[in-house]
């Protein structure tokens, strides 16, 4: 009996350090690899703030385009080297959906379902929003004459006064055409094609309206904020029907090497502190209604949104562009 007890306690002493070592390894949180679609200065500012809260985590940033990051995620299955997909276009997050880890952020309740994955336990949360709006020259039109809705863009009184980018040459212009197609169909697009002048560059529209060459364009709202800040005689109109809730998003890469650190980062990136960094570094619109809009633009709470189906937009792009080109 005494001999058996000696053997028993010897085994406990032998295995206990191994068990303790295994437990400490699973709880070890000291590295994080971020695959970033954000600009370099944005990613660095976010990581700096994250490390103020989590100083023991060594963060590596790998920057590339959204599509390139998703292709890398596919190629590195089943054990990718990354932990976080940061600020990647929603359509690409949808393509990567099966390779993202479900995780409910501690800030989940503060983020509207229109700007995150709609699952009960989301695989991604929105970061910033490239919203489209109408830009008007205030010298050429009185406020009572501004277009108030997308439907007003086909009003005959604006014929020749509207300049738009060609959707075959501009991603933002295609987003505009897709939204109008979803709202009003091809007949509306045919009328729009006859009512507007088209340019090859997405920057030419806002430039022309700011100079007073045309009265109206449709553009990313950040362009409108920029020209207002420069003192140009322009203003914004967010159409009565709403504008598409386009956004980029952040999520945890499934089977990544540092899942616990990735969860900490998701709790951070969905916080007001992180959204303020995204908002202020490049004057972006963020998905929370708790912060002001970009400089010279209204808060998100003042803007009506409707769903924007990125995957459908991607799938019908060639057909829709061809159809609209024929209308033009």
């Amino acid at each position: 009996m005494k001999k058996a007890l000696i053997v028993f306690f010897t085994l406990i002493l032998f295995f206990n350090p191994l068990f303790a070592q295994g437990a400490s390894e699973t709880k070890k949180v000291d590295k994080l690899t971020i695959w970033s679609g954000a600009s370099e200065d944005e990613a660095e500012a976010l990581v700096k703030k994250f490390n103020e809260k989590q100083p023991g985590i060594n963060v590596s940033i790998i920057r590339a385009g959204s599509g390139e990051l998703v292709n890398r995620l596919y190629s590195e299955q089943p054990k990718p080297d990354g932990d976080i997909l940061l600020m990647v276009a929603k359509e690409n997050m949808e393509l990567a959906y099966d390779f993202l880890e479900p995780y409910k952020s501690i800030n989940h309740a503060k983020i509207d379902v229109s700007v995150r994955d709609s699952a009960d336990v989301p695989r991604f949360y929105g970061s910033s929003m490239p919203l489209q709006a109408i830009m008007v020259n205030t010298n050429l039109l009185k406020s009572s004459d501004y277009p108030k809705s997308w439907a007003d863009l086909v009003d005959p009184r604006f014929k020749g006064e509207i300049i738009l980018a060609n959707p075959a040459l501009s991603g933002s212009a295609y987003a505009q055409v897709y939204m109008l197609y979803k709202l009003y169909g091809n007949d509306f697009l045919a009328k729009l094609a006859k009512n507007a002048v088209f340019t090859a560059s997405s920057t030419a529209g806002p430039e022309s309206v700011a100079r007073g060459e045309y009265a109206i364009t449709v553009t990313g709202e950040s362009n409108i904020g920029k020209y207002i800040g420069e003192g140009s005689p322009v203003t914004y109109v967010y159409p009565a029907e709403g504008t598409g809730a386009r956004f980029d998003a952040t999520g945890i890469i499934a089977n990544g090497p540092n899942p616990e650190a990735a969860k900490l980062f998701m709790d951070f990136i969905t916080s007001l502190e992180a959204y303020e960094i995204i908002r202020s570094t490049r004057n972006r619109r963020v998905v929370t209604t708790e912060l002001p809009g970009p400089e010279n633009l209204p808060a998100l709470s003042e803007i009506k949104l409707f769903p924007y189906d990125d995957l459908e937009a991607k799938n019908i792009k060639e057909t829709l562009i061809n159809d609209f080109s024929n209308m033009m």
Side-chain angles (χ1 to χ4, degrees):
M1 180 69 179
K2 196 178 287 184
K3 190 173 183 180
L5 286 172
I6 291 171
V7 172
F8 176 75
F9 285 116
T10 301
L11 290 171
I12 288 176
L13 290 171
F14 177 79
F15 284 111
N16 193 52
L18 295 180
F19 290 145
Q21 182 182 0
S24 65
E25 285 179 355
T26 55
K27 292 181 180 179
K28 198 173 184 182
V29 183
D30 61 356
K31 292 181 181 177
L32 183 70
T33 299
I34 295 174
W35 292 359
S36 173
S39 63
E40 186 175 347
D41 55 344
E42 287 174 310
E44 289 178 353
L46 287 166
V47 167
K48 181 180 178 182
K49 177 59 70 173
F50 175 67
N51 274 149
E52 289 177 11
K53 298 178 171 301
Q54 304 291 342
I57 299 178
N58 181 26
V59 182
S60 301
I61 303 171
I62 296 171
R63 194 190 178 286
S66 291
E68 185 180 347
L69 292 173
V70 171
N71 288 336
R72 178 170 181 171
L73 183 58
Y74 288 163
S75 67
E76 292 192 7
Q77 293 304 312
K79 285 288 185 182
D81 287 336
D83 300 300
I84 291 286
L85 272 182
L86 175 66
M87 294 177 64
V88 166
K90 179 177 175 283
E91 66 190 57
N92 286 303
M93 296 299 275
E94 296 283 6
L95 293 172
Y97 194 82
D98 290 340
F99 303 120
L100 299 176
E101 183 71 24
Y103 178 68
K104 183 174 281 190
S105 160
I106 60 172
N107 301 299
H108 175 86
K110 297 180 180 179
I111 301 172
D112 190 79
V113 68
S114 65
V115 286
R116 60 168 170 81
D117 176 22
S118 59
D120 289 341
V121 182
R123 299 194 184 203
F124 56 79
Y125 288 90
S127 297
S128 70
M129 307 181 73
L131 299 184
Q132 301 295 309
I134 297 172
M135 177 175 171
V136 177
N137 184 291
T138 57
N139 287 340
L140 298 180
L141 290 178
K142 297 182 297 184
S143 59
S144 58
D145 293 331
Y146 293 171
K148 302 298 193 298
S149 67
W150 296 118
D152 286 342
L153 295 179
V154 299
D155 191 320
R157 67 194 171 98
F158 295 133
K159 185 174 177 60
E161 294 292 334
I162 302 172
I163 182 170
L164 301 174
N166 187 334
L169 303 172
S170 162
S172 59
Y174 173 69
Q176 297 157 17
V177 167
Y178 171 73
M179 286 192 294
L180 295 173
Y181 166 75
K182 292 297 290 182
L183 285 170
Y184 296 117
N186 275 326
D187 289 345
F188 180 91
L189 292 182
K191 293 176 183 178
L192 178 67
K194 299 296 185 287
N195 219 38
V197 173
F198 290 87
T199 178
S201 168
S202 61
T203 61
E207 286 172 356
S208 296
V209 171
R211 288 195 297 261
E213 297 165 354
Y214 291 88
I216 299 165
T217 191
V218 179
T219 186
E221 61 172 359
S222 60
N223 291 323
I224 308 174
K226 168 180 174 286
Y227 283 106
I228 292 173
E230 292 174 358
S232 298
V234 300
T235 191
Y236 50 78
V237 173
Y238 292 89
E241 304 95 327
T243 189
R246 300 171 68 219
F247 61 91
D248 58 48
T250 301
I252 296 175
I253 297 171
N255 301 318
N258 304 289
E260 296 306 315
K263 292 174 184 176
L264 292 174
F265 189 83
M266 282 305 297
D267 289 339
F268 163 73
I269 199 65
T270 53
S271 70
L272 279 182
E273 283 180 294
Y275 285 134
E276 176 56 31
I277 290 169
I278 296 169
R279 189 186 77 88
S280 59
T281 304
R282 294 230 165 179
N283 200 35
R284 290 184 189 261
R285 162 94 48 200
V286 290
V287 302
T288 177
T289 58
E290 296 184 75
L291 289 174
E295 191 174 349
N296 304 313
L297 297 172
L300 186 61
S301 58
E302 300 175 37
I303 300 171
K304 183 178 179 181
L305 302 175
F306 57 74
Y308 184 95
D309 189 336
D310 302 79
L311 273 184
E312 183 188 54
K314 188 183 183 79
N315 290 337
I316 69 170
K317 184 174 183 178
E318 184 176 354
T319 300
L320 188 55
I321 284 178
N322 287 339
D323 289 346
F324 192 71
S325 296
N326 291 332
M327 296 171 190
M328 292 163 61

